[in-house]
Amino acid sequence: MTYSRALGRALALAARSLLSWFDVLVELIAFALLCVGLVFFLGPAVEWARGRSTTARALAGRWCGVEVGTPYQPEPPEPVRERDGWYRDGNTLYKRAFWIRWQHRLTWALEDPAAEREFAWQLVNPLVTLLLPVAVLFGGPPVLRGYGRWTRWWLGPRPPVERRRNWLQRHLESLGHQIGILVLSLVQFVFSAWQLVVIAAALPVAAPVVLWSRTITDTLRRETGTWTGVRITRPYLPPPGLPVPRPDGLYQVGKQLYEEPFWPVQHARRRWVLGDRATWRDLAGGGLIPLVSLALTLPTVALLGWGFVGLATLWIWRPFVSSPVRWLVLPEVSTHLGALAQTPLALAMIVAGLVPTTWLARQQARFVKLWLGPTESSRLARRVERLKQTRTDVTVAQAAELRRIERDLHDGIQSRLVAMGMKLGAVEALVDTDPAAAKRLAAELRAASSEALTELRVLIRGIHPPVLSERGLLDAVRALALDSPLKVQVTGSLPGRLEEPVEACAYFTVSELLGNAAKHGAKRAAIDVSFDGDQVTLVVTDEGPGGANPARGSGLRGIVRRLGAFDGRLTLTSPIGGPTRATVELPCQIHPGLRPEPGASPPGAPEADDPEPSSPKTSTSSETV
C-alpha cells in the first residue's frame, strides 16, 4: 500500500467517523423519549447504529487488512403461536406477535455486552481518527493497520472471561451507579407527579395509569438491585379475583347491581390499586428518592469536578494562555513548579470523591428499598396468596400423580397378571394331557413374571426410588447421572440426610431438568449440591442451545409448582446459545436422627445404627447386581 493511498483512506475514515456522534445523538434522544414513555424508538436507534459499526468492521478488513468478526449475540427466535391461536410471553397473552417480537429485540439489543463497547466506541473513535491522517503521514501504512487493530478491540468479539477490575474501575463504576440511580429516580418523579394529576383529575382512569407507571418503578428496583446488590422485591398486594355473581345472576358492588362483570371488575381494580399502601409509598418515594440521591451524589461530583478542573487549569489552560492562573482560593500559578506543587491537592480531591462511591451507592439503594420495598403487611398478603396457590397446585399434582399410578397399574401390571392367570389355567389343563406344552407355557410364565417384576420396579422407582430412601439425595442424584444419556458430573456434599419429602422433591426436580436438557440436544451437564444453614441448593448446568423459559414450557412450570409446595424457588439463566443454568433452592432441615457423627461414614452412606435396607441387592444406581 502506498503512502498516498494510506493517507486517502485515513482521511476517509476520519470524515466518516464524525457520523458516529450523530448516532450517539440519535440514541440519546431515543433514550430521553423512553424516559417519558415513548418506548418505540430506542431499540430501532440502537440497531440502526449497528449498521454503521458493521461498515466500520468491513472497512477495517478491506482498507486496514485486519478482519473483524461480528460480536453480537444470536438474534431472538420468532414468537410461536400456541394451539389456541394466542402468543404467550411470560404470563401475558397477545393476539399478535408484534409486541413480543419488539420486546425481545429491545432486550437483545440493550443487554448484549457488545452494545456498551459499541456506544463507547462511537464517542471515542472520532477523536482518535481525527489524528489518524497526521499519524499516517508520519508513520505510513503500518499506522493504518494499527487503527484496524484498534477497531477490532472495540467492535470485535471477545471471549467471555471474568475480568478483574482495579480500584479505579470499581469506584468509577460505583459513581456510574450513583448517577444511574439518580437519573432513574428523576424519571420516577416525573411519572409520580403525572399519577397524582390523574388521580386528582381523572379518577376512573387512575388504575390503568398507576399500573402502567409501576413498570418505571420496577425498573428502578431491578437496576438498583443489579448495580448495588441490594435486592428489592415488589411490594404490591395480589390482584383481586373475578367477581362472583349472586344467585340471580347479577353482580353487586355496594348497593349497585350490574348485569355484566365489566364494571365490578373496574371497581375492584380501582380499590385494589388505590387501597394498596405501596401505591402511595411509590408516590412519596418519587419525591423523596431524587432528593436523597442528589444529596448523596452531589458531593462526589463536586469533588471530582473541582479536581479535574484544577488539573485542566494547571496543565492545559495555563500553558495555553501563558499567564498566571488561579484555582479555587489558592495562590496564582505561573510556572511548572507551582503547578506541580498544587497538583497533589487536585489529585487528592479526585481520590476523596471516588473513595466513598461504593458506600454511597449502597446507601442510595437502601433508601430506595425503604420506600419501594415491601412492608410487613404486603409480605403477609403475598405469603397468604402464595400458600393458597401452592395448596391448589399440590392438590392438582397429587390427583394427577394418583391417576398416573392408577393408569400404569391398570394398563401394565394388571394386564400382565390377567394374562399370567389365563396361562396358568392352560397349564393346569395341559399338565396331564400334554406335559411338553405345559412346560413351554410355564417357561413363558417365568419370562412374563420377570417382565412384570421389572415393570413394577420401574413404577416403584417413579413413585419413590429405593436408592433415595436407602442412600440419600446425593447418591440418588449420582444414580440419575449414571442412568442419564448425558455426560453428567456431580459435585458437592451434604452434612446429613434431609427430610424425606424435600429429598423426593429435589430428586424429581433434578430428574426433570436432566430430561429437559437431553430432550433439547444437550450433550453434557453438571450438578452441584450444597447445603447452607437451612437451605439445600442444587445447580444444574447444561450445554444446550439455551432459550429456556418457565412460562413457555410445561415441564418447567411443573417444576415451579413442585417447588412451590415447599416454598422453594427456581432461578433460570438461559441465554440464547446457552449454557442453561437452573438453580433450585429448597428450605429444609437436616434430619436429626440421620446427622453423621464424627468419624462416621461419609455423607449419603447408611449409618451404623440405621436399619437394614429394604433391598440388600440395591446399589447406588438402583440396579440389581
Side-chain angles (χ1 to χ4, degrees), residues 243-317:
V244 179
R246 296 171 8 133
D248 57 2
L250 299 177
Y251 297 87
Q252 182 176 0
V253 179
K255 296 182 179 181
Q256 184 69 37
L257 296 178
Y258 297 91
E259 294 182 355
E260 299 295 333
F262 175 78
W263 287 112
V265 168
Q266 300 306 314
H267 286 298
R269 285 171 62 85
R270 190 181 308 130
R271 288 196 303 268
W272 163 54
V273 171
L274 300 182
D276 191 348
R277 293 183 179 179
T279 299
W280 304 102
R281 288 168 60 86
D282 287 354
L283 298 178
L288 294 175
I289 294 173
L291 296 177
V292 174
S293 297
L294 182 62
L296 293 176
T297 307
L298 192 58
T300 299
V301 175
L303 286 172
L304 290 175
W306 287 338
F308 283 115
V309 167
L311 291 178
T313 302
L314 294 174
W315 297 105
I316 298 177
W317 180 248

Side-chain angles (χ1 to χ4, degrees), residues 213-257:
S213 299
R214 282 180 178 179
T215 59
I216 307 298
T217 311
D218 289 337
T219 302
L220 177 57
R221 292 190 189 95
R222 183 181 64 253
E223 298 304 326
T224 299
T226 303
W227 293 335
T228 63
V230 178
R231 184 180 176 187
I232 307 174
T233 56
R234 299 183 87 239
Y236 308 116
L237 296 175
L242 295 176
V244 179
R246 296 171 8 133
D248 57 2
L250 299 177
Y251 297 87
Q252 182 176 0
V253 179
K255 296 182 179 181
Q256 184 69 37
L257 296 178

Side-chain angles (χ1 to χ4, degrees), residues 529-545:
V529 185
S530 61
F531 182 85
D532 182 16
D534 57 352
Q535 176 176 281
V536 63
T537 303
L538 302 98
V539 181
V540 182
T541 307
D542 67 75
E543 300 177 356

Side-chain angles (χ1 to χ4, degrees), residues 139-156:
V143 175
L144 203 61
R145 187 170 182 84
Y147 175 76
R149 296 192 184 97
W150 154 272
T151 304
R152 182 174 60 187
W153 187 82
W154 278 104
L155 300 181

Side-chain angles (χ1 to χ4, degrees), residues 29-341:
I29 293 174
F31 179 75
L33 294 176
L34 175 69
C35 293
V36 298
L38 300 177
V39 297
F40 298 101
F41 301 100
L42 183 58
V46 173
E47 291 193 49
W48 178 65
R50 284 185 174 184
R52 207 177 309 279
S53 300
T54 302
T55 306
R57 283 189 286 270
L59 293 178
R62 191 183 311 160
W63 288 357
C64 305
V66 178
E67 296 296 330
V68 183
T70 303
Y72 308 121
Q73 294 179 350
E75 295 190 12
E78 285 292 316
V80 179
R81 187 192 296 269
E82 298 194 348
R83 294 180 179 178
D84 56 3
W86 291 79
Y87 294 90
R88 180 189 294 273
D89 185 42
N91 294 326
T92 308
L93 295 176
Y94 296 90
K95 192 64 178 178
R96 294 179 178 82
F98 168 77
W99 287 104
I100 301 178
R101 185 184 299 111
W102 174 79
Q103 292 174 7
H104 288 182
R105 292 194 68 85
L106 177 63
T107 304
W108 165 69
L110 296 183
E111 293 186 355
D112 194 334
E116 180 181 353
R117 301 198 308 269
E118 193 169 80
F119 185 78
W121 180 83
Q122 293 168 357
L123 289 173
V124 177
N125 183 62
L127 299 176
V128 174
T129 50
L130 288 178
L131 302 176
L132 183 62
V134 179
V136 171
L137 186 62
F138 289 98
V143 175
L144 203 61
R145 187 170 182 84
Y147 175 76
R149 296 192 184 97
W150 154 272
T151 304
R152 182 174 60 187
W153 187 82
W154 278 104
L155 300 181
R158 294 186 184 181
V161 296
E162 190 71 23
R163 296 181 301 171
R164 296 186 63 182
R165 297 168 299 170
N166 56 36
W167 182 91
L168 181 61
Q169 290 174 326
R170 291 196 305 269
H171 286 79
L172 285 176
E173 185 177 7
S174 298
L175 175 61
H177 296 162
Q178 281 191 266
I179 298 174
I181 295 174
L182 174 61
V183 171
L184 288 176
S185 64
L186 291 174
V187 174
Q188 193 211 1
F189 169 75
V190 174
F191 280 89
S192 298
W194 168 244
Q195 292 175 67
L196 288 174
V197 171
V198 172
I199 292 173
L203 189 60
V205 297
V209 170
V210 171
L211 289 177
W212 184 83
S213 299
R214 282 180 178 179
T215 59
I216 307 298
T217 311
D218 289 337
T219 302
L220 177 57
R221 292 190 189 95
R222 183 181 64 253
E223 298 304 326
T224 299
T226 303
W227 293 335
T228 63
V230 178
R231 184 180 176 187
I232 307 174
T233 56
R234 299 183 87 239
Y236 308 116
L237 296 175
L242 295 176
V244 179
R246 296 171 8 133
D248 57 2
L250 299 177
Y251 297 87
Q252 182 176 0
V253 179
K255 296 182 179 181
Q256 184 69 37
L257 296 178
Y258 297 91
E259 294 182 355
E260 299 295 333
F262 175 78
W263 287 112
V265 168
Q266 300 306 314
H267 286 298
R269 285 171 62 85
R270 190 181 308 130
R271 288 196 303 268
W272 163 54
V273 171
L274 300 182
D276 191 348
R277 293 183 179 179
T279 299
W280 304 102
R281 288 168 60 86
D282 287 354
L283 298 178
L288 294 175
I289 294 173
L291 296 177
V292 174
S293 297
L294 182 62
L296 293 176
T297 307
L298 192 58
T300 299
V301 175
L303 286 172
L304 290 175
W306 287 338
F308 283 115
V309 167
L311 291 178
T313 302
L314 294 174
W315 297 105
I316 298 177
W317 180 248
R318 181 186 55 81
F320 179 76
V321 298
S322 300
S323 62
V325 295
R326 181 184 295 276
W327 171 55
L328 293 180
V329 294
L330 300 176
E332 290 185 347
V333 176
S334 59
T335 63
H336 290 306
L337 185 60
L340 188 63

Side-chain angles (χ1 to χ4, degrees), residues 405-595:
I405 295 172
E406 184 273 336
R407 184 175 61 251
D408 291 344
L409 290 174
H410 181 273
D411 298 340
I413 303 299
Q414 177 176 310
S415 60
R416 289 186 181 276
L417 292 178
V418 170
M420 291 172 63
M422 296 175 63
K423 287 184 179 181
L424 281 174
V427 169
E428 291 178 354
L430 295 174
V431 69
D432 294 327
T433 59
D434 192 352
K439 188 176 295 185
R440 287 197 301 272
L441 285 177
E444 293 178 3
L445 277 172
R446 187 184 307 111
S449 66
S450 177
E451 293 175 0
L453 182 59
T454 301
E455 188 173 345
L456 185 60
R457 284 174 176 169
V458 172
L459 180 60
I460 293 173
R461 192 183 305 172
I463 299 173
H464 193 85
V467 65
L468 187 61
S469 301
E470 298 166 6
R471 305 287 295 179
L473 176 62
L474 195 57
D475 279 349
V477 170
R478 293 192 179 109
L480 274 177
L482 293 175
D483 294 338
S484 174
L486 308 177
K487 294 182 179 180
V488 184
Q489 180 183 7
V490 181
T491 58
S493 61
L494 293 174
R497 291 292 298 273
L498 308 179
E499 300 160 336
E500 289 188 3
V502 175
E503 283 188 336
C505 177
Y507 174 86
F508 287 111
T509 297
V510 173
S511 176
E512 182 72 22
L513 290 173
L514 289 179
N516 287 343
K519 181 173 65 176
H520 290 91
K523 302 298 182 183
R524 296 177 179 273
I527 305 173
D528 182 72
V529 185
S530 61
F531 182 85
D532 182 16
D534 57 352
Q535 176 176 281
V536 63
T537 303
L538 302 98
V539 181
V540 182
T541 307
D542 67 75
E543 300 177 356
N549 188 343
R552 295 198 298 264
S554 58
L556 293 175
R557 288 201 300 268
I559 291 175
V560 172
R561 287 195 298 268
R562 185 193 299 273
L563 295 174
F566 297 89
D567 205 16
R569 184 173 61 180
L570 172 67
T571 304
L572 192 67
T573 304
S574 183
I576 297 175
T580 298
R581 178 186 176 92
T583 302
V584 178
E585 297 172 334
L586 272 170
C588 63
Q589 298 292 332
I590 294 296
H591 197 291
L594 297 177
R595 187 183 297 273

